[in-house]
Amino acid sequence: MRELKVEKHAKYILTVERSLVLEHLRLNGAYWGLTTLDIIGKLDRRSGRSCGCAGNIGNDPHVLYTLSAIQVLALFNKLDVLDTEKVANYIVSLQADDGSFAGDIWGEIDTSCQNVGAGFGCIPGGESHAGQIFCCVGALSITGHLHLLDKDLLGWWLSEKQLPGVSSFVFESNEISYFNVTYNLLDAAIHVCYSWWVLSSLIVIDWIHWIDKQKLVQFILDLPGSFSSFSDKENGGISDRPDDAVDVYHTYFGIAGLSLLKYPGLKPIDPAYTLPVEVINRVFLSS
């Protein structure tokens, strides 16, 4: 099994931070990159330059960027700089009468809905998707409502999507989807970020024992069979699929997936809060 090239991934993150993704995603990019550095134990390698959070000046506020900003501040133990009452009031102001949240003042509504098969989709009756399941299971965990889930059915639904030999999964009726990827029948699209979306949900509901963890680790590090590696062996970083350019988003979720699988040398990450466990413990112990 090929080893995780920690130093090369750290170098990649430190290099790419100067031009972190598109302007409107710089807060998210800062979170992905900095959390990756923390998981691999290299957060102290970061220089004293700005973390890039100012890259979205002039754009509208959004609950996703608010979350990323809070997560970055938590990493550096700087939550005290927040006006928590104003932040809380902003988030509360986005909640609709039916309990759902808008992403911003323009009314983009979170429409995650549970399906008959225990999964969650974007709209009532829509196909279940691992990303939606992660968001919903995480929210129910944080708010103390996991008892509302049929854990056996959801765990079965997720784990039974792992196909023999290559740790693959079927997520939607129109595609063959890997546990950590999506393999579309039309364009053979593979996405490594599913190593996070599904694993985190299975861990939260305590059903990870239903999947082949070792084969999944091998899949993330070095794809089996005729597939090439997700990782840029020379410069570090992880791409969404073989032969694509690496990016900070998939580098984070690939390494975060390995952390969930207890890969040696990586800090444990919380599957619901998506931050290193030591950061979450520090936040709650200090509050």
Side-chain angles (χ1 to χ4, degrees):
M1 181 186 298
R2 190 165 58 84
E3 294 182 1
L4 183 68
K5 303 298 183 182
V6 170
E7 287 295 331
K8 289 187 180 294
H9 290 313
K11 181 180 179 181
Y12 166 72
I13 295 294
L14 292 168
T15 301
V16 78
E17 72 162 341
R18 301 181 187 181
S19 56
L20 276 176
V21 284
L22 300 175
E23 179 183 345
H24 69 289
L25 290 177
R26 286 184 68 85
L27 262 175
N28 298 120
Y31 158 66
W32 298 326
L34 293 170
T35 306
T36 301
L37 289 177
D38 200 8
I39 293 172
I40 63 178
K42 302 295 181 181
L43 189 60
D44 59 339
R45 287 271 299 276
R46 198 187 168 280
S47 70
R49 295 190 302 272
S50 167
C51 69
C53 293
N56 70 338
I57 289 178
N59 291 318
D60 295 326
H62 193 285
V63 70
L64 294 181
Y65 309 138
T66 302
L67 171 62
S68 290
I70 293 172
Q71 288 169 314
V72 169
L73 289 173
L75 283 172
F76 288 100
N77 199 21
K78 293 293 183 180
L79 287 174
D80 59 302
V81 305
L82 285 175
D83 186 328
T84 54
E85 184 175 355
K86 286 186 177 180
V87 173
N89 287 339
Y90 166 71
I91 296 172
V92 169
S93 71
L94 298 175
Q95 188 170 28
D97 292 338
D98 64 359
S100 64
F101 281 88
D104 53 29
I105 62 173
W106 306 109
E108 175 203 348
I109 299 295
D110 173 14
T111 54
S112 301
C113 301
Q114 188 169 26
N115 293 321
V116 175
F120 292 84
C122 293
I123 59 174
E127 291 179 306
S128 296
H129 188 278
Q132 296 291 332
I133 292 173
F134 160 74
C135 292
C136 294
V137 170
L140 290 172
S141 174
I142 291 170
T143 58
H145 287 82
L146 281 177
H147 61 279
L148 298 176
L149 287 174
D150 186 333
K151 296 179 184 179
D152 289 348
L153 185 57
L154 180 58
W156 170 84
W157 190 90
L158 289 169
S159 60
E160 282 297 305
K161 303 302 180 285
Q162 187 174 30
L163 303 180
V166 290
S167 302
S168 58
F169 293 75
V170 179
F171 282 113
E172 301 175 5
S173 61
N174 294 328
E175 55 189 1
I176 298 175
S177 305
Y178 290 125
F179 181 69
N180 60 326
V181 301
T182 298
Y183 192 14
N184 192 283
L185 292 175
L186 298 178
D187 60 9
I190 295 176
H191 301 278
V192 74
C193 55
Y194 278 102
S195 60
W196 171 270
W197 304 125
V198 182
L199 272 174
S200 57
S201 297
L202 286 172
I203 290 174
V204 169
I205 65 174
D206 197 24
W207 282 108
I208 193 173
H209 57 283
W210 279 16
I211 61 121
D212 190 327
K213 297 185 286 294
Q214 190 57 42
K215 285 192 175 182
L216 187 54
V217 169
Q218 180 178 341
F219 187 83
I220 298 172
L221 290 176
D222 198 354
L223 289 176
S226 61
F227 292 116
S228 60
S229 174
F230 280 128
S231 226
D232 186 325
K233 298 178 182 179
E234 296 300 322
N235 302 310
I238 297 175
S239 63
D240 61 339
R241 64 190 76 171
D243 303 321
D244 278 3
V246 300
D247 62 74
V248 66
Y249 174 87
H250 291 95
T251 299
Y252 165 56
F253 283 113
I255 292 177
L258 290 174
S259 173
L260 290 178
L261 290 163
K262 300 181 180 180
Y263 186 84
L266 299 182
K267 292 183 179 180
I269 189 168
D270 188 281
Y273 287 96
T274 60
L275 282 171
V277 171
E278 65 179 26
V279 173
I280 299 302
N281 290 340
R282 185 180 67 218
V283 169
F284 283 106
L285 288 174
S286 63
S287 62

